[in-house]
Short mmCIF file of all heavy atoms in Angstrom, two decimals:
data_model
loop_
_atom_site.label_atom_id
_atom_site.label_comp_id
_atom_site.label_asym_id
_atom_site.label_seq_id
_atom_site.Cartn_x
_atom_site.Cartn_y
_atom_site.Cartn_z
N VAL K 191 -50.43 32.28 36.11
CA VAL K 191 -49.63 33.28 36.84
C VAL K 191 -49.63 32.92 38.33
O VAL K 191 -50.40 32.08 38.79
CB VAL K 191 -50.17 34.70 36.62
CG1 VAL K 191 -50.05 35.10 35.14
CG2 VAL K 191 -51.63 34.81 37.07
N LYS K 192 -48.77 33.61 39.08
CA LYS K 192 -48.54 33.22 40.47
C LYS K 192 -49.39 33.97 41.49
O LYS K 192 -49.37 33.62 42.67
CB LYS K 192 -47.04 33.41 40.81
CG LYS K 192 -46.12 32.43 40.10
CD LYS K 192 -46.42 31.00 40.49
CE LYS K 192 -45.42 30.02 39.89
NZ LYS K 192 -45.71 28.62 40.26
N ASP K 193 -50.11 34.98 41.07
CA ASP K 193 -50.91 35.71 42.08
C ASP K 193 -52.19 36.23 41.44
O ASP K 193 -52.29 36.40 40.21
CB ASP K 193 -50.10 36.87 42.68
CG ASP K 193 -49.67 37.87 41.63
OD1 ASP K 193 -50.46 38.78 41.32
OD2 ASP K 193 -48.54 37.75 41.12
N ALA K 194 -53.18 36.50 42.29
CA ALA K 194 -54.51 36.92 41.83
C ALA K 194 -54.48 38.29 41.16
O ALA K 194 -55.22 38.54 40.21
CB ALA K 194 -55.48 36.93 43.01
N ASP K 195 -53.61 39.18 41.64
CA ASP K 195 -53.54 40.53 41.05
C ASP K 195 -53.07 40.48 39.60
O ASP K 195 -53.62 41.17 38.73
CB ASP K 195 -52.60 41.42 41.88
CG ASP K 195 -53.20 41.78 43.23
OD1 ASP K 195 -54.42 41.64 43.40
OD2 ASP K 195 -52.43 42.20 44.11
N THR K 196 -52.07 39.65 39.35
CA THR K 196 -51.58 39.52 37.96
C THR K 196 -52.65 38.88 37.09
O THR K 196 -52.85 39.29 35.93
CB THR K 196 -50.29 38.67 37.92
OG1 THR K 196 -49.31 39.26 38.76
CG2 THR K 196 -49.74 38.58 36.50
N ALA K 197 -53.34 37.90 37.62
CA ALA K 197 -54.42 37.27 36.86
C ALA K 197 -55.49 38.29 36.50
O ALA K 197 -56.00 38.29 35.36
CB ALA K 197 -55.04 36.13 37.67
N GLN K 198 -55.83 39.17 37.42
CA GLN K 198 -56.84 40.19 37.14
C GLN K 198 -56.33 41.19 36.10
O GLN K 198 -57.08 41.64 35.24
CB GLN K 198 -57.21 40.93 38.43
CG GLN K 198 -58.43 41.81 38.28
CD GLN K 198 -59.66 41.04 37.80
OE1 GLN K 198 -60.03 40.01 38.38
NE2 GLN K 198 -60.28 41.51 36.72
N THR K 199 -55.03 41.50 36.15
CA THR K 199 -54.44 42.38 35.14
C THR K 199 -54.58 41.76 33.76
O THR K 199 -54.92 42.44 32.78
CB THR K 199 -52.96 42.64 35.46
OG1 THR K 199 -52.87 43.32 36.71
CG2 THR K 199 -52.29 43.47 34.37
N VAL K 200 -54.30 40.47 33.67
CA VAL K 200 -54.40 39.77 32.38
C VAL K 200 -55.85 39.79 31.88
O VAL K 200 -56.11 40.08 30.70
CB VAL K 200 -53.88 38.33 32.51
CG1 VAL K 200 -54.20 37.53 31.24
CG2 VAL K 200 -52.39 38.31 32.78
N LEU K 201 -56.80 39.50 32.76
CA LEU K 201 -58.20 39.50 32.35
C LEU K 201 -58.64 40.88 31.88
O LEU K 201 -59.38 41.01 30.89
CB LEU K 201 -59.08 39.05 33.53
CG LEU K 201 -59.09 37.54 33.81
CD1 LEU K 201 -59.86 37.26 35.10
CD2 LEU K 201 -59.70 36.77 32.65
N THR K 202 -58.19 41.92 32.56
CA THR K 202 -58.54 43.29 32.15
C THR K 202 -57.99 43.59 30.76
O THR K 202 -58.69 44.18 29.92
CB THR K 202 -57.97 44.30 33.17
OG1 THR K 202 -58.55 44.03 34.46
CG2 THR K 202 -58.30 45.72 32.75
N GLN K 203 -56.75 43.17 30.51
CA GLN K 203 -56.14 43.39 29.20
C GLN K 203 -56.88 42.60 28.10
O GLN K 203 -57.07 43.10 26.98
CB GLN K 203 -54.66 42.99 29.23
CG GLN K 203 -53.79 43.89 30.08
CD GLN K 203 -53.73 45.30 29.54
OE1 GLN K 203 -53.59 45.52 28.33
NE2 GLN K 203 -53.86 46.28 30.42
N LEU K 204 -57.32 41.41 28.44
CA LEU K 204 -58.05 40.61 27.46
C LEU K 204 -59.37 41.27 27.10
O LEU K 204 -59.79 41.29 25.93
CB LEU K 204 -58.31 39.20 28.01
CG LEU K 204 -57.09 38.26 28.06
CD1 LEU K 204 -57.42 37.00 28.85
CD2 LEU K 204 -56.63 37.90 26.65
N LYS K 205 -60.06 41.84 28.11
CA LYS K 205 -61.33 42.51 27.86
C LYS K 205 -61.14 43.75 26.98
O LYS K 205 -62.05 44.17 26.26
CB LYS K 205 -61.98 42.89 29.17
CG LYS K 205 -62.49 41.68 29.96
CD LYS K 205 -63.03 42.08 31.32
CE LYS K 205 -63.50 40.87 32.12
NZ LYS K 205 -63.98 41.23 33.48
N LYS K 206 -59.94 44.33 27.02
CA LYS K 206 -59.65 45.50 26.19
C LYS K 206 -59.23 45.10 24.77
O LYS K 206 -59.00 45.96 23.93
CB LYS K 206 -58.52 46.32 26.83
CG LYS K 206 -58.92 47.02 28.13
CD LYS K 206 -57.75 47.82 28.68
CE LYS K 206 -58.13 48.56 29.96
NZ LYS K 206 -56.98 49.32 30.53
N GLY K 207 -59.11 43.80 24.55
CA GLY K 207 -58.79 43.32 23.21
C GLY K 207 -57.34 42.96 22.98
O GLY K 207 -56.95 42.67 21.84
N THR K 208 -56.54 42.96 24.03
CA THR K 208 -55.14 42.58 23.87
C THR K 208 -55.04 41.11 23.47
O THR K 208 -55.80 40.26 23.96
CB THR K 208 -54.35 42.81 25.18
OG1 THR K 208 -54.54 44.17 25.59
CG2 THR K 208 -52.87 42.55 24.98
N ASP K 209 -54.12 40.80 22.59
CA ASP K 209 -53.97 39.44 22.08
C ASP K 209 -53.60 38.45 23.18
O ASP K 209 -52.69 38.70 23.99
CB ASP K 209 -52.88 39.43 20.99
CG ASP K 209 -52.68 38.05 20.40
OD1 ASP K 209 -53.63 37.52 19.81
OD2 ASP K 209 -51.58 37.50 20.55
N PHE K 210 -54.32 37.33 23.22
CA PHE K 210 -54.11 36.31 24.25
C PHE K 210 -52.68 35.77 24.20
O PHE K 210 -52.02 35.64 25.24
CB PHE K 210 -55.12 35.17 24.06
CG PHE K 210 -55.16 34.18 25.20
CD1 PHE K 210 -56.17 34.26 26.16
CD2 PHE K 210 -54.23 33.16 25.31
CE1 PHE K 210 -56.23 33.34 27.21
CE2 PHE K 210 -54.28 32.25 26.35
CZ PHE K 210 -55.28 32.35 27.31
N ALA K 211 -52.21 35.45 22.99
CA ALA K 211 -50.85 34.89 22.86
C ALA K 211 -49.80 35.87 23.34
O ALA K 211 -48.81 35.48 23.98
CB ALA K 211 -50.59 34.50 21.41
N GLN K 212 -50.00 37.15 23.05
CA GLN K 212 -49.05 38.17 23.51
C GLN K 212 -48.99 38.22 25.03
O GLN K 212 -47.91 38.28 25.63
CB GLN K 212 -49.45 39.54 22.96
CG GLN K 212 -48.57 40.69 23.44
CD GLN K 212 -49.09 42.04 22.98
OE1 GLN K 212 -49.67 42.15 21.89
NE2 GLN K 212 -48.89 43.08 23.79
N LEU K 213 -50.15 38.16 25.67
CA LEU K 213 -50.21 38.20 27.13
C LEU K 213 -49.61 36.93 27.74
O LEU K 213 -48.96 36.98 28.79
CB LEU K 213 -51.65 38.37 27.60
CG LEU K 213 -52.27 39.74 27.30
CD1 LEU K 213 -53.77 39.72 27.61
CD2 LEU K 213 -51.58 40.84 28.12
N ALA K 214 -49.81 35.79 27.07
CA ALA K 214 -49.23 34.54 27.56
C ALA K 214 -47.71 34.61 27.55
O ALA K 214 -47.04 34.21 28.51
CB ALA K 214 -49.71 33.37 26.71
N LYS K 215 -47.16 35.14 26.47
CA LYS K 215 -45.70 35.27 26.39
C LYS K 215 -45.17 36.25 27.43
O LYS K 215 -44.07 36.10 27.96
CB LYS K 215 -45.30 35.73 24.99
CG LYS K 215 -45.54 34.68 23.90
CD LYS K 215 -45.19 35.22 22.54
CE LYS K 215 -45.49 34.19 21.45
NZ LYS K 215 -45.17 34.71 20.09
N GLN K 216 -45.98 37.26 27.74
CA GLN K 216 -45.53 38.30 28.68
C GLN K 216 -45.67 37.86 30.13
O GLN K 216 -44.78 38.12 30.95
CB GLN K 216 -46.34 39.58 28.44
CG GLN K 216 -45.94 40.74 29.36
CD GLN K 216 -46.74 42.00 29.07
OE1 GLN K 216 -47.50 42.04 28.08
NE2 GLN K 216 -46.56 43.02 29.88
N TYR K 217 -46.78 37.19 30.46
CA TYR K 217 -47.08 36.93 31.87
C TYR K 217 -47.03 35.46 32.29
O TYR K 217 -46.74 35.16 33.46
CB TYR K 217 -48.50 37.44 32.19
CG TYR K 217 -48.64 38.94 32.21
CD1 TYR K 217 -49.24 39.61 31.14
CD2 TYR K 217 -48.19 39.69 33.28
CE1 TYR K 217 -49.39 40.99 31.15
CE2 TYR K 217 -48.33 41.08 33.31
CZ TYR K 217 -48.93 41.72 32.25
OH TYR K 217 -49.07 43.08 32.27
N SER K 218 -47.34 34.55 31.38
CA SER K 218 -47.56 33.17 31.81
C SER K 218 -46.28 32.49 32.29
O SER K 218 -45.21 32.66 31.71
CB SER K 218 -48.17 32.34 30.67
OG SER K 218 -48.45 31.02 31.13
N GLN K 219 -46.45 31.70 33.33
CA GLN K 219 -45.38 30.84 33.82
C GLN K 219 -45.80 29.37 33.71
O GLN K 219 -45.24 28.50 34.36
CB GLN K 219 -45.07 31.19 35.28
CG GLN K 219 -44.59 32.63 35.46
CD GLN K 219 -44.29 32.96 36.92
OE1 GLN K 219 -43.64 32.19 37.62
NE2 GLN K 219 -44.77 34.10 37.37
N GLY K 220 -46.78 29.13 32.88
CA GLY K 220 -47.30 27.78 32.69
C GLY K 220 -46.80 27.14 31.42
O GLY K 220 -45.97 27.71 30.69
N PRO K 221 -47.30 25.96 31.09
CA PRO K 221 -46.87 25.25 29.88
C PRO K 221 -47.25 26.01 28.62
O PRO K 221 -48.30 26.66 28.56
CB PRO K 221 -47.61 23.91 29.97
CG PRO K 221 -48.79 24.20 30.85
CD PRO K 221 -48.33 25.21 31.83
N GLY K 222 -46.40 25.92 27.61
CA GLY K 222 -46.68 26.55 26.32
C GLY K 222 -46.57 28.05 26.31
O GLY K 222 -46.99 28.69 25.34
N ALA K 223 -45.99 28.66 27.35
CA ALA K 223 -45.93 30.13 27.42
C ALA K 223 -45.19 30.72 26.22
O ALA K 223 -45.63 31.71 25.64
CB ALA K 223 -45.26 30.55 28.72
N ALA K 224 -44.08 30.09 25.84
CA ALA K 224 -43.30 30.61 24.71
C ALA K 224 -44.05 30.51 23.39
O ALA K 224 -43.75 31.23 22.44
CB ALA K 224 -41.97 29.86 24.60
N GLN K 225 -45.04 29.63 23.33
CA GLN K 225 -45.87 29.47 22.12
C GLN K 225 -47.21 30.18 22.29
O GLN K 225 -48.21 29.82 21.65
CB GLN K 225 -46.12 27.99 21.84
CG GLN K 225 -44.89 27.21 21.40
CD GLN K 225 -43.94 26.92 22.54
OE1 GLN K 225 -44.37 26.52 23.63
NE2 GLN K 225 -42.65 27.13 22.32
N GLY K 226 -47.25 31.19 23.11
CA GLY K 226 -48.48 31.94 23.31
C GLY K 226 -49.50 31.19 24.13
O GLY K 226 -50.70 31.47 24.04
N GLY K 227 -49.06 30.23 24.94
CA GLY K 227 -49.96 29.48 25.80
C GLY K 227 -50.65 28.31 25.13
O GLY K 227 -51.48 27.63 25.75
N ALA K 228 -50.33 28.05 23.87
CA ALA K 228 -51.01 26.98 23.12
C ALA K 228 -50.72 25.61 23.71
O ALA K 228 -49.56 25.26 23.98
CB ALA K 228 -50.58 27.03 21.66
N LEU K 229 -51.78 24.80 23.89
CA LEU K 229 -51.68 23.45 24.43
C LEU K 229 -52.21 22.44 23.40
O LEU K 229 -52.79 22.82 22.39
CB LEU K 229 -52.47 23.34 25.74
CG LEU K 229 -52.07 24.32 26.85
CD1 LEU K 229 -52.97 24.15 28.06
CD2 LEU K 229 -50.61 24.13 27.25
N ASN K 230 -52.00 21.16 23.69
CA ASN K 230 -52.44 20.10 22.77
C ASN K 230 -53.95 19.86 22.89
O ASN K 230 -54.59 20.22 23.87
CB ASN K 230 -51.69 18.80 23.08
CG ASN K 230 -50.21 18.90 22.78
OD1 ASN K 230 -49.81 19.59 21.85
ND2 ASN K 230 -49.40 18.22 23.57
N TRP K 231 -54.49 19.21 21.87
CA TRP K 231 -55.89 18.81 21.90
C TRP K 231 -56.17 17.94 23.12
O TRP K 231 -55.33 17.12 23.51
CB TRP K 231 -56.26 18.03 20.62
CG TRP K 231 -56.40 18.88 19.41
CD1 TRP K 231 -55.46 19.12 18.46
CD2 TRP K 231 -57.59 19.57 18.99
NE1 TRP K 231 -55.97 19.94 17.48
CE2 TRP K 231 -57.28 20.23 17.77
CE3 TRP K 231 -58.87 19.71 19.52
CZ2 TRP K 231 -58.20 21.00 17.08
CZ3 TRP K 231 -59.79 20.49 18.83
CH2 TRP K 231 -59.46 21.12 17.63
N ILE K 232 -57.34 18.11 23.71
CA ILE K 232 -57.71 17.35 24.89
C ILE K 232 -59.21 17.08 24.87
O ILE K 232 -59.98 17.87 24.33
CB ILE K 232 -57.31 18.11 26.18
CG1 ILE K 232 -57.42 17.22 27.41
CG2 ILE K 232 -58.13 19.38 26.34
CD1 ILE K 232 -56.32 16.22 27.54
N SER K 233 -59.62 15.93 25.43
CA SER K 233 -61.04 15.59 25.49
C SER K 233 -61.35 14.97 26.83
O SER K 233 -60.52 14.23 27.39
CB SER K 233 -61.39 14.60 24.37
OG SER K 233 -62.76 14.22 24.44
N PHE K 234 -62.52 15.29 27.37
CA PHE K 234 -62.96 14.75 28.65
C PHE K 234 -64.38 14.20 28.52
O PHE K 234 -65.24 14.84 27.90
CB PHE K 234 -62.96 15.83 29.74
CG PHE K 234 -61.69 16.63 29.83
CD1 PHE K 234 -61.67 17.97 29.46
CD2 PHE K 234 -60.52 16.05 30.28
CE1 PHE K 234 -60.51 18.71 29.55
CE2 PHE K 234 -59.35 16.78 30.37
CZ PHE K 234 -59.34 18.11 30.01
N LYS K 235 -64.60 13.05 29.13
CA LYS K 235 -65.97 12.53 29.22
C LYS K 235 -66.72 13.34 30.26
O LYS K 235 -66.22 13.61 31.35
CB LYS K 235 -65.96 11.05 29.60
CG LYS K 235 -67.34 10.41 29.60
CD LYS K 235 -67.23 8.94 29.96
CE LYS K 235 -66.58 8.16 28.82
NZ LYS K 235 -67.43 8.14 27.60
N THR K 236 -67.91 13.80 29.89
CA THR K 236 -68.70 14.61 30.82
C THR K 236 -69.95 13.84 31.26
O THR K 236 -70.48 13.03 30.49
CB THR K 236 -69.12 15.93 30.14
OG1 THR K 236 -69.78 15.64 28.92
CG2 THR K 236 -67.92 16.81 29.87
N PRO K 237 -70.45 14.09 32.49
CA PRO K 237 -69.84 14.99 33.47
C PRO K 237 -68.50 14.45 33.94
O PRO K 237 -68.32 13.23 34.04
CB PRO K 237 -70.88 15.03 34.60
CG PRO K 237 -71.61 13.72 34.47
CD PRO K 237 -71.66 13.43 33.00
N ILE K 238 -67.57 15.37 34.22
CA ILE K 238 -66.21 14.97 34.55
C ILE K 238 -66.16 14.28 35.90
O ILE K 238 -66.74 14.74 36.88
CB ILE K 238 -65.30 16.23 34.53
CG1 ILE K 238 -65.15 16.71 33.08
CG2 ILE K 238 -63.93 15.92 35.13
CD1 ILE K 238 -64.40 17.99 32.93
N GLN K 239 -65.43 13.16 35.91
CA GLN K 239 -65.25 12.38 37.13
C GLN K 239 -63.76 12.33 37.47
O GLN K 239 -62.91 12.42 36.58
CB GLN K 239 -65.78 10.95 36.93
CG GLN K 239 -67.24 10.87 36.57
CD GLN K 239 -68.15 11.34 37.69
OE1 GLN K 239 -67.84 11.15 38.87
NE2 GLN K 239 -69.25 11.98 37.36
N PRO K 240 -63.44 12.20 38.75
CA PRO K 240 -62.03 12.08 39.14
C PRO K 240 -61.34 10.94 38.40
O PRO K 240 -61.92 9.86 38.20
CB PRO K 240 -62.10 11.81 40.64
CG PRO K 240 -63.42 12.39 41.07
CD PRO K 240 -64.34 12.17 39.92
N GLY K 241 -60.13 11.18 37.96
CA GLY K 241 -59.36 10.15 37.28
C GLY K 241 -59.62 10.04 35.80
O GLY K 241 -59.05 9.16 35.13
N THR K 242 -60.47 10.89 35.24
CA THR K 242 -60.79 10.82 33.80
C THR K 242 -60.45 12.13 33.10
O THR K 242 -61.06 12.47 32.10
CB THR K 242 -62.28 10.50 33.59
OG1 THR K 242 -63.07 11.58 34.13
CG2 THR K 242 -62.65 9.20 34.27
N THR K 243 -59.43 12.84 33.63
CA THR K 243 -59.15 14.19 33.10
C THR K 243 -57.81 14.26 32.38
O THR K 243 -57.26 15.35 32.21
CB THR K 243 -59.18 15.21 34.23
OG1 THR K 243 -58.21 14.84 35.23
CG2 THR K 243 -60.56 15.29 34.87
N GLN K 244 -57.26 13.12 31.94
CA GLN K 244 -56.02 13.11 31.14
C GLN K 244 -54.89 13.86 31.85
O GLN K 244 -54.11 14.58 31.22
CB GLN K 244 -56.25 13.73 29.75
CG GLN K 244 -57.51 13.32 29.07
CD GLN K 244 -57.48 11.89 28.56
OE1 GLN K 244 -56.47 11.21 28.68
NE2 GLN K 244 -58.58 11.44 28.02
N ASN K 245 -54.82 13.72 33.17
CA ASN K 245 -53.79 14.36 34.00
C ASN K 245 -53.98 15.87 34.15
O ASN K 245 -53.11 16.55 34.70
CB ASN K 245 -52.38 14.08 33.45
CG ASN K 245 -52.02 12.60 33.52
OD1 ASN K 245 -52.35 11.93 34.49
ND2 ASN K 245 -51.37 12.11 32.49
N TRP K 246 -55.08 16.40 33.67
CA TRP K 246 -55.42 17.80 33.96
C TRP K 246 -56.02 17.88 35.38
O TRP K 246 -56.76 16.96 35.78
CB TRP K 246 -56.47 18.30 32.97
CG TRP K 246 -55.92 18.90 31.72
CD1 TRP K 246 -54.99 18.34 30.89
CD2 TRP K 246 -56.30 20.15 31.14
NE1 TRP K 246 -54.76 19.18 29.82
CE2 TRP K 246 -55.55 20.30 29.95
CE3 TRP K 246 -57.18 21.15 31.50
CZ2 TRP K 246 -55.66 21.42 29.14
CZ3 TRP K 246 -57.30 22.26 30.69
CH2 TRP K 246 -56.53 22.40 29.53
N PRO K 247 -55.75 18.96 36.12
CA PRO K 247 -56.48 19.16 37.38
C PRO K 247 -57.98 19.25 37.08
O PRO K 247 -58.39 19.90 36.12
CB PRO K 247 -55.92 20.49 37.90
CG PRO K 247 -54.58 20.62 37.25
CD PRO K 247 -54.72 19.99 35.89
N GLN K 248 -58.77 18.59 37.88
CA GLN K 248 -60.21 18.52 37.61
C GLN K 248 -60.86 19.89 37.48
O GLN K 248 -61.70 20.10 36.58
CB GLN K 248 -60.91 17.69 38.69
CG GLN K 248 -62.38 17.43 38.36
CD GLN K 248 -62.99 16.40 39.29
OE1 GLN K 248 -62.29 15.58 39.88
NE2 GLN K 248 -64.31 16.43 39.42
N PRO K 249 -60.54 20.89 38.34
CA PRO K 249 -61.18 22.22 38.18
C PRO K 249 -60.88 22.85 36.82
O PRO K 249 -61.74 23.53 36.25
CB PRO K 249 -60.58 23.03 39.32
CG PRO K 249 -60.20 22.02 40.35
CD PRO K 249 -59.72 20.84 39.57
N LEU K 250 -59.69 22.63 36.29
CA LEU K 250 -59.36 23.17 34.96
C LEU K 250 -60.18 22.48 33.89
O LEU K 250 -60.69 23.13 32.95
CB LEU K 250 -57.87 23.00 34.67
CG LEU K 250 -56.90 24.04 35.21
CD1 LEU K 250 -55.49 23.75 34.71
CD2 LEU K 250 -57.32 25.45 34.83
#
Side-chain angles (χ1 to χ4, degrees):
V191 296
K192 291 297 185 181
D193 59 86
D195 289 343
T196 303
Q198 192 56 52
T199 297
V200 171
L201 283 173
T202 300
Q203 291 296 316
L204 286 170
K205 290 175 182 177
K206 291 180 179 179
T208 306
D209 181 62
F210 190 100
Q212 176 186 327
L213 291 171
K215 292 177 182 179
Q216 181 178 353
Y217 290 104
S218 183
Q219 299 180 46
Q225 292 75 44
L229 303 177
N230 293 327
W231 285 96
I232 192 75
S233 178
F234 310 111
K235 185 179 289 294
T236 55
I238 291 175
Q239 301 294 326
T242 63
T243 59
Q244 317 287 357
N245 296 320
W246 271 51
Q248 188 169 337
L250 276 185

